[in-house]
Amino acid sequence: MKACITNYTNKRYIFYILATIVIFALPFIRVNKNHFFLLSFDHKKLNLFFVAFDTQELYLMPFLLILLFLTIFFITTLAGRIWCAWSCPQTIFRVIYRDIIQTKLLKIRKNIKDKQKEFQGQFVKKFIAGILFYCVSIIAVSNLLWYFIPPEDFFAYIQNPGEHMLLIGIIFFASLFLSFDIMYLQEKFCIYVCPYARIQSVMFDHDTIQVIYDEKRGGVIYDGHTKLHKKPPQGECIGCEACVSVCPTHIDIRKGMQLECINCLECADACSKIQLKFNRPSLINWTSAKSIETRQKVNYFRFRTIAYVVVLSIVFIGLLIASTKKEHMLLNINRATELYHIEKKNDKLEVINAYTFLFQNTDNKDHQYYFEAILEGIEGGIEIVSPSKPFTLKAGANTKKVVTLRATKKLANDDKKDTIIPLHIRAYAVDDENIVVFRESIFSYPKNTEFDKFKDEKK
Ligand code: SF4
Ligand code: SF4
C-alpha cells in the first residue's frame, strides 16, 4: 500500500461547487421553451428532459419514482452512504455554515480540524453568522422553488410581493426552518431525523464501500463500546485522535461502522497526514469490509449490483418508451346531461347529441384542430353541426368546445328502449399529420315512441 495524503475533503468541495453550479443553472436552461425538470402546478405542466408534458400525462411519474428509488438502492449497495457525503444538501449546508462562515470567515471556530470544541460567547459574530446563513437559505429555497415555479415567473412574482404573499411566506418560513436545521439541529438531523440513515444499513453487504478503520494494521481500540487502550501498543494507530477531532458527527470510527457516520472521509484524510510521517498509508479507508479482510480489490460486479443495473435499465427503457407516447394534444370528452334531443327542421326530425370537448395544445407551436366522428358499424350516419370548421389553439393553450352531432339517417328501430351506439372520435391537427388522438364515446338514439310524440304534435 502506498503512503500518501488522501484528499477526499477537497475533492468533495470541488464536487459540491460543480453540483451547486448545475443545480443553479438548470432551471435557467430552456430548450424549445422547456426546462430540464419543472413540475408547475400553476401552469399544470411537467417538463422532463426538456420535453413538455401536461399534468394529465403524469403516467411518467411512477417510472420516475421507481427509477429514483432503484437508483438509491443501487448506489447504497455499491457505495454505501456516498450520497450523504458527496451530494446531500444537509452536508453541503453544514460545510457552508460551519467551515466557511463560522471558521474561515468569522473565525468563531479556531480550527477546521477540530469540530468537537463548542465555542462560547462571541454573540455578535454568532448573530452575523446567523444572518449570513439566513441569506444563503433564502437563495437555496428560491433555487428549489425554481423547479416548481419557473425562474421567469418567480422573479416577476417576487417583484409584486403584495399579490404573492403565499410565495413570500413559503420562502420566509422555509428559509427559517433550513437555518434552524443547519444552525441548531446540525448533524443530529442525520442521526435522528433522516430516514435514509436508518434504512441504508439493510442495503449493505460485505462488498459495500464504507469508511473502515483497518484493525489489522491499526490495532483493536474498542471492545464493543469500551475503549481498551488510550494508546494502543500493538498496532500502527498512535492514538493521536486526529480522526476523532475532525469528525463532524462526533464519533470514533475505530469503534466500527456506526449509524452516525456520514462517510465524509475527513477522518481518512486526517489519518493519512499522521501516517505519512511514518511513511504508511491511512489506517482509515474507503473500501469494503471484505476487501479489508482479504486485502483484495473491492468486488463491484456481484449479483446484487448486476441485478440492480438490469432492473434499472428495464425501467429506464420503460420510461423512454412511455415518454415517446407523449400526445401533442389532449382531448377530454364529456357528454351533456341530456341524452339527446329531437329537432324538427323542414318537416324532418333530427336527433342531436351534445358533448363538451376540452382540447389542449400541449405542443410548442400553435395548431389548427378539428375532428371526425364515426359511429361503430354504421357508414356515415352522423354529421358535425358545431364547431363547423377547424379552430386555432395557441401553444400550451386549452379551450372548451360545445360539440353537437346530428344523425343524418335512421340509426335504430327500437320501440322499447333508446339505442346506444359506440362513437369513435379522431381529433387531429390540420397542419400536422403526426398530431392525432383517438377517443371513445357514445351516441344515443331515441326509441321509436319518442318520434311518435312529434307525429301527435303535428295532428
Ligand atoms: S488519526 Fe489515525 S493514527 Fe490517529 S488515532 Fe485516528 S486512526 Fe489512530
Ligand atoms: S467517522 Fe466521522 S469523519 Fe469519519 S467519515 Fe464518518 S462522519 Fe466522517
Side-chain angles (χ1 to χ4, degrees):
M1 273 185 279
K2 238 174 45 193
C4 65
I5 292 182
T6 58
N7 234 331
Y8 292 118
T9 310
N10 284 345
K11 285 176 191 158
R12 267 175 48 226
Y13 290 171
I14 292 168
F15 191 81
Y16 291 169
I17 293 168
L18 293 176
T20 306
I21 292 171
V22 171
I23 299 289
F24 263 87
L26 265 185
F28 292 92
I29 300 171
R30 292 203 289 170
V31 176
N32 292 333
K33 295 191 186 158
N34 297 323
H35 297 261
F36 176 78
F37 177 84
L38 172 71
L39 181 57
S40 166
F41 297 103
D42 207 4
H43 298 292
K44 295 192 182 59
K45 67 177 180 186
L46 166 73
N47 285 180
L48 196 61
F49 307 128
F50 303 111
V51 178
F53 294 89
D54 191 81
T55 39
Q56 293 179 38
E57 297 175 285
L58 288 185
Y59 56 84
L60 290 179
M61 272 300 170
F63 284 102
L64 283 177
L65 289 176
I66 295 170
L67 207 61
L68 177 73
F69 281 109
L70 279 175
T71 307
I72 291 172
F73 295 162
F74 168 61
I75 289 177
T76 310
T77 305
L78 189 73
R81 290 178 73 171
I82 190 171
W83 160 261
C84 302
W86 295 77
S87 306
C88 177
Q90 176 80 13
T91 312
I92 299 176
F93 289 134
R94 281 295 295 151
V95 167
I96 292 174
Y97 181 64
R98 182 194 55 223
D99 298 349
I100 299 179
I101 297 179
Q102 284 191 323
T103 314
K104 292 273 180 213
L105 219 60
L106 299 173
K107 312 258 185 273
I108 301 174
R109 288 175 177 274
K110 297 293 168 249
N111 192 344
I112 211 161
K113 290 180 190 143
D114 187 356
K115 298 187 176 66
Q116 311 310 311
K117 246 184 242 156
E118 271 315 318
F119 47 92
Q120 303 298 325
Q122 309 189 62
F123 296 112
V124 177
K125 281 189 177 181
K126 279 183 189 170
F127 181 72
I128 296 171
I131 299 285
L132 286 178
F133 190 76
Y134 187 69
C135 296
V136 172
S137 302
I138 289 176
I139 297 168
V141 168
S142 303
N143 183 199
L144 175 68
L145 287 173
W146 296 337
Y147 288 90
F148 300 91
I149 304 165
E152 57 271 21
D153 289 351
F154 180 89
F155 290 109
Y157 292 169
I158 55 168
Q159 280 168 30
N160 265 317
E163 285 176 28
H164 298 95
M165 286 313 285
L166 179 66
L167 175 65
I168 302 295
I170 290 172
I171 297 172
F172 177 79
F173 285 107
S175 306
L176 211 58
F177 176 76
L178 180 60
S179 303
F180 169 78
D181 167 34
I182 299 302
M183 292 192 277
Y184 293 99
L185 284 183
Q186 304 173 357
E187 278 74 21
K188 288 192 258 332
F189 179 90
C190 314
I191 301 164
Y192 301 111
V193 184
C194 178
Y196 177 54
R198 312 232 135 237
I199 56 153
Q200 35 86 26
S201 56
V202 297
M203 292 170 232
F204 284 13
D205 59 27
H206 245 53
D207 290 299
T208 301
I209 301 172
Q210 303 166 46
V211 180
I212 302 177
Y213 166 70
D214 189 342
E215 245 178 30
K216 276 191 188 161
R217 279 182 50 219
V220 179
I221 311 293
Y222 284 87
D223 178 13
H225 286 287
T226 320
K227 202 166 188 178
L228 293 176
H229 307 283
K230 271 210 159 141
K231 203 172 178 185
Q234 79 275 38
E236 292 174 8
C237 175
I238 61 164
C240 65
E241 309 240 323
C243 54
V244 182
S245 304
V246 82
C247 177
T249 61
H250 317 300
I251 58 168
D252 187 342
I253 194 65
R254 296 173 300 170
K255 225 185 240 180
M257 188 188 119
Q258 289 150 79
L259 174 75
E260 293 88 340
C261 177
I262 56 167
N263 280 216
C264 69
L265 289 155
E266 294 202 23
C267 52
D269 286 351
C271 189
S272 74
K273 285 183 193 127
I274 302 293
Q275 290 294 324
L276 190 69
K277 293 174 191 158
F278 307 97
N279 203 24
R280 300 190 292 241
S282 177
L283 291 171
I284 301 165
N285 302 277
W286 199 25
T287 185
S288 73
K290 195 166 167 194
S291 171
I292 279 274
E293 231 171 82
T294 59
R295 307 282 154 189
Q296 304 284 317
K297 283 192 173 164
V298 176
N299 179 15
Y300 296 104
F301 303 101
R302 49 197 196 271
F303 177 75
R304 273 173 84 166
T305 51
I306 293 169
Y308 274 127
V309 171
V310 171
V311 178
L312 267 170
S313 311
I314 292 169
V315 177
F316 189 68
I317 291 168
L319 177 69
L320 284 183
I321 292 171
S323 56
T324 57
K325 291 200 184 318
K326 176 186 159 40
E327 293 180 331
H328 292 281
M329 68 175 285
L330 292 175
L331 174 59
N332 279 344
I333 298 177
N334 290 312
R335 281 185 55 83
T337 41
E338 190 188 28
L339 273 180
Y340 48 76
H341 74 270
I342 303 170
E343 269 179 21
K344 199 169 192 182
K345 234 180 198 174
N346 303 330
D347 264 358
K348 259 183 84 186
L349 294 179
E350 292 180 343
V351 177
I352 306 279
N353 275 212
Y355 309 78
T356 305
F357 281 20
L358 177 66
F359 284 90
Q360 182 161 4
N361 178 359
T362 52
D363 203 12
N364 295 318
K365 287 183 256 164
D366 300 356
H367 286 295
Q368 270 210 322
Y369 293 104
Y370 205 52
F371 63 95
E372 289 167 6
I374 302 146
L375 290 175
E376 190 169 285
I378 300 170
E379 191 74 18
I382 50 167
E383 63 185 20
I384 302 165
V385 181
S386 72
S388 54
K389 55 180 192 307
F391 55 91
T392 303
L393 255 186
K394 289 198 174 300
N398 59 46
T399 186
K400 264 185 194 169
K401 291 278 172 197
V402 174
V403 169
T404 45
L405 302 178
R406 173 169 54 206
T408 52
K409 60 183 182 187
K410 192 160 179 64
L411 299 177
N413 190 12
D414 197 316
D415 291 332
K416 294 202 175 108
K417 57 179 186 349
D418 299 336
T419 306
I420 304 296
I421 308 165
L423 174 71
H424 306 296
I425 301 293
R426 177 182 171 272
Y428 53 91
V430 177
D431 46 13
D432 188 338
E433 61 183 24
N434 296 317
I435 300 178
V436 55
V437 296
F438 298 90
R439 297 289 183 268
E440 305 299 325
S441 188
I442 52 162
F443 189 90
S444 290
Y445 196 80
K447 54 189 178 235
N448 292 337
T449 48
E450 294 293 329
F451 294 107
D452 294 344
K453 290 177 195 166
F454 285 84
K455 283 180 198 160
D456 296 344
E457 262 176 36
K458 203 178 173 185
K459 280 174 200 166

